[in-house]
Amino acid sequence: GCFDVVWSFGVLHHMPDPAAGFRALVDFARPDGGLIAIWVYGYRGMAFTYRLSHMRTLHRLTRKMSGRGRVRMSKVIAALLSAGYWEPLRVAQWLGLRRIVQRLPLTDHISQGWLSRVSAVHYRLSTPITHFHDREELEKWFELNGLAEVVVEDTDRRGWRAYGTRHVARQIEPAFQHAAVSDVRQASA
């Protein structure tokens, strides 16, 4: 590999085999200290509001719908959320309750327009593959791929950020290795 940093944000958890996707990334990092950094969905141990924001129950109900049906359903859900959730939360923020509001799911959409809200719902209902990972699993990915200085941390109980460096021991060519051993033997004689 030749890259100083290989970064994957929000991709691996949508692959059929996230661990294989991670393995493929490692080879792109420079072998003498290249950094691998990822962010993936978590679930176990994550905040309840974060887990709600994934709309897993609705996803199970809508995944067999046609694309057009999911778009229509996304618009209906976005309208319901706008009227019964986002707009009341906008008022709550205006009344000075911003710190409380920020702890709730999907609050980053309060200030966004209609199309952005529909898009946020549609994304949650339409992804064909979504995996949720935990700390131990990510630590194992890094260990199995020989990465060092590994850090796995939750991002405010909303997913996992993990990074580590690649250090591949340099192989000495056999001819050079033999010459080096001969030189050491002659010097000690």
Side-chain angles (χ1 to χ4, degrees):
C2 61
F3 294 102
D4 294 329
V5 177
V6 177
W7 183 54
S8 172
F9 184 89
V11 175
L12 294 172
H13 52 245
H14 292 303
M15 298 182 76
D17 185 349
F22 180 79
R23 275 191 306 276
L25 291 176
V26 173
D27 288 337
F28 288 100
R30 205 180 69 236
D32 58 342
L35 178 73
I36 306 288
I38 65 170
W39 183 88
V40 294
Y41 287 158
Y43 200 79
R44 189 181 64 180
M46 295 293 129
F48 177 69
T49 55
Y50 169 80
R51 293 194 312 264
L52 278 178
S53 74
H54 283 283
M55 303 181 186
R56 301 310 299 155
T57 302
L58 288 172
H59 182 270
R60 283 190 285 281
L61 296 173
T62 61
R63 69 177 165 208
K64 295 194 191 305
M65 289 181 161
S66 68
R68 186 174 288 182
R70 276 194 308 276
V71 169
R72 278 195 299 270
M73 182 61 75
S74 297
K75 288 178 179 178
V76 168
I77 294 168
L80 292 170
L81 285 170
S82 291
Y85 187 69
W86 286 316
E87 292 307 317
L89 289 180
R90 182 193 306 259
V91 171
Q93 283 184 335
W94 182 79
L95 293 172
L97 301 172
R98 181 174 302 276
R99 289 177 60 187
I100 294 170
V101 168
Q102 288 175 335
R103 293 182 182 162
L104 299 172
L106 301 169
T107 56
D108 47 338
H109 303 292
I110 292 170
S111 61
Q112 296 178 354
W114 171 248
L115 289 178
S116 179
R117 289 175 176 184
V118 172
S119 176
V121 171
H122 189 261
Y123 168 75
R124 286 163 174 81
L125 300 182
S126 297
T127 52
I129 299 171
T130 303
H131 296 280
F132 295 91
H133 305 283
D134 59 38
R135 178 186 302 272
E136 294 78 21
E137 179 182 11
L138 298 179
E139 288 170 344
K140 187 169 185 161
W141 289 1
F142 281 79
E143 177 188 334
L144 290 173
N145 286 281
L147 298 169
E149 302 155 356
V150 174
V151 175
V152 178
E153 42 195 20
D154 80 60
T155 52
D156 195 25
R157 297 181 60 206
R158 294 174 181 261
W160 297 103
R161 171 179 45 238
Y163 51 93
T165 54
R166 185 173 182 217
H167 297 283
V168 176
R170 293 183 185 217
Q171 299 264 336
I172 300 175
E173 293 293 325
F176 294 117
Q177 187 176 13
H178 177 70
V181 169
S182 296
D183 289 345
V184 170
R185 285 187 184 148
Q186 287 176 359
S188 64

